[in-house]
Amino acid sequence: MATSGARRPAGGATRQAGAAPVPGRAALTGAQALALRMTALLLRPHPTARPRDVAGVVEWFGAMQAQDAASGLWSLGLRLPGWTQADVQEALERREALRTWPMRGTVHLVPSRDARWMLDVTGVRALAAAGPRRAFLGLSLEEADRAADVLGEALAGGARLTRAQCQAALDAAGIDTAGQRGYHLLWYAAQKGVTCIAPHVGGEQTFALLDEWVPDPRRPDRDEALGILALRYFRSHGPTTRQDFAGWTGLTAADAKRGIAAAGDALTTVTVDGAEAVAEEALLDAPRAPVDDVHALPGFDEYLLGFKDRSLMVAPEHKQAIIPGGNGVFQSTVVRDGRVAGTWKRTLGRTKVKVAVRPLVDLDAATRARVNAALGAYAAFVGLPPVVEWPGPA
């Protein structure tokens, strides 16, 4: 497993994950940790890495939340300055990454060649827990397996079908897809590694056979796979905790610890305001000064979705505005100095993109201008001039 940027501690001894922090180097304040985290998330220049294409960005993260396709596209675009939405879509057509349900039963973008082993390592727990949902929907395990076989036959030979076409194939085979049954059966087939989500055609989600879409998958053994997951997570999200890693992957606490140990010297233990955390060793060379930048992030970006504990980024009183009703639907965020300062909603028209901003803290005229510039980058990404609406004067 590659461990770019890894270094051994002084004296050359191999440090095991979970060892005591390195004195004088790894004691961080919350503000310093947030500055480093913004760098890890590729929202600031990184000291050792800057992925230059979709494949590089997705591999850097290991997986990127993408249950909302449009949010997933912008998560990639904002980390690839100058790229347009069409550029990102073309890269996905080249199979630089794909969407599937690798962990927590949630859609992510993953490196195409890593999809199968990720399903094997992290997806099995979601499958094992799916029984009650099947029972609620009136489905048996035998029906779910037969549905996967039907989809496999329908997609064989390079076919690519929309969600509606997949469900029609299931209905034609006598498998009822009414209500949420159809969605569950599509999820099950992908979770089993039969299918994957191919790029949209127009506004339609499409599906393909995973084995045909990715004929040469990587096949690490389990310990190596856990180490890859740990390295990619902490290098792209750290400094953060082992608990955040377990929550992100859906792994058990034991497997999370095992993965950190397997990553070896590429990771190091630090403290953040006295609490233990883990970070990529190379990240500690990045500046730790307060973050002085403004971003317009999509609602389902790893900036928030990559953590269970979001206290470094979000004030408690703003949680309701970001996740209204606590229903798992995240609003797009305005981020200033590493912390959420507002939300935004966009309406795409034929000739413009209208954006309504809702500040959550006081933003002066200069900061509003920087927010407008960040939203202008999003508008350029989708290829439409922006019209930004604010609730009132600064």
Side-chain angles (χ1 to χ4, degrees), residues 343-366:
T343 63
W344 59 283
K345 291 185 177 181
R346 60 101 170 101
T347 303
L348 291 171
R350 292 186 177 181
T351 60
K352 62 186 177 182
V353 55
K354 185 168 68 174
V355 181
V357 182
R358 178 189 176 189
L360 298 177
V361 298
D362 290 336
L363 300 176
D364 60 23

Side-chain angles (χ1 to χ4, degrees), residues 98-101 190 194-198 206-210 213-214:
L98 60 80
R99 293 168 72 217
T100 190
W101 287 267
V194 176
T195 64
C196 63
I197 305 173
T206 66
F207 292 82
L209 283 185
L210 180 58
W213 199 256
V214 189

Side-chain angles (χ1 to χ4, degrees), residues 121-262:
V121 172
T122 62
V124 291
R125 297 193 74 203
L127 273 176
R133 179 60 176 167
R134 279 197 304 272
F136 176 79
L137 295 171
L139 288 166
S140 67
L141 179 59
E142 291 73 22
E143 284 178 296
D145 284 332
R146 190 162 76 86
D149 290 340
V150 169
L151 291 172
E153 292 173 4
L155 292 167
R160 187 163 154 188
L161 301 179
T162 65
R163 177 185 291 195
Q165 289 170 330
C166 287
Q167 295 192 171
L170 294 174
D171 286 327
I175 301 172
D176 183 10
T177 62
Q180 290 296 307
R181 291 164 61 100
Y183 179 85
H184 182 83
L185 293 171
L186 290 172
W187 168 84
Y188 182 84
Q191 199 76 73
K192 292 281 286 186
V194 176
T195 64
C196 63
I197 305 173
H200 279 44
V201 174
E204 293 283 338
Q205 186 181 66
T206 66
F207 292 82
L209 283 185
L210 180 58
D211 282 347
E212 291 184 355
W213 199 256
V214 189
D216 59 339
R218 296 187 182 99
R219 298 187 182 276
D221 63 32
R222 182 173 176 80
D223 277 350
E224 183 182 5
L226 290 172
I228 292 170
L229 284 171
L231 173 59
R232 291 178 179 175
Y233 175 76
F234 286 106
R235 78 180 179 189
S236 59
H237 294 78
T240 190
T241 64
R242 189 175 69 208
Q243 290 74 23
D244 273 340
F245 174 51
W248 183 76
T249 55
L251 292 171
T252 64
D255 273 346
K257 186 175 182 180
R258 188 173 167 186
I260 294 168

Side-chain angles (χ1 to χ4, degrees), residues 240-393:
T240 190
T241 64
R242 189 175 69 208
Q243 290 74 23
D244 273 340
F245 174 51
W248 183 76
T249 55
L251 292 171
T252 64
D255 273 346
K257 186 175 182 180
R258 188 173 167 186
I260 294 168
D265 292 343
L267 301 179
T268 188
T269 303
V270 301
T271 60
V272 178
D273 289 338
E276 184 177 297
V278 179
E280 183 193 23
E281 176 77 13
L283 178 68
L284 299 183
D285 289 329
R288 304 179 191 180
V291 180
D292 182 23
D293 47 14
V294 171
H295 300 280
L297 303 184
F300 292 91
D301 194 76
E302 286 296 313
Y303 165 79
L304 288 180
L305 273 292
F307 306 90
K308 291 177 69 68
D309 180 357
R310 303 176 180 119
S311 57
L312 283 183
M313 300 92 78
V314 180
E317 64 270 23
H318 297 154
K319 181 178 178 181
Q320 176 62 26
I322 298 164
I323 321 168
N327 61 3
V329 178
F330 285 67
Q331 300 298 305
S332 299
T333 54
V334 172
V335 175
R336 181 189 65 180
D337 298 347
R339 291 181 63 81
V340 175
T343 63
W344 59 283
K345 291 185 177 181
R346 60 101 170 101
T347 303
L348 291 171
R350 292 186 177 181
T351 60
K352 62 186 177 182
V353 55
K354 185 168 68 174
V355 181
V357 182
R358 178 189 176 189
L360 298 177
V361 298
D362 290 336
L363 300 176
D364 60 23
T367 302
R368 290 191 178 202
R370 297 175 72 191
V371 174
N372 288 344
L375 292 169
Y378 168 74
F381 177 72
V382 297
L384 293 169
V387 176
V388 181
E389 298 178 348
W390 291 83

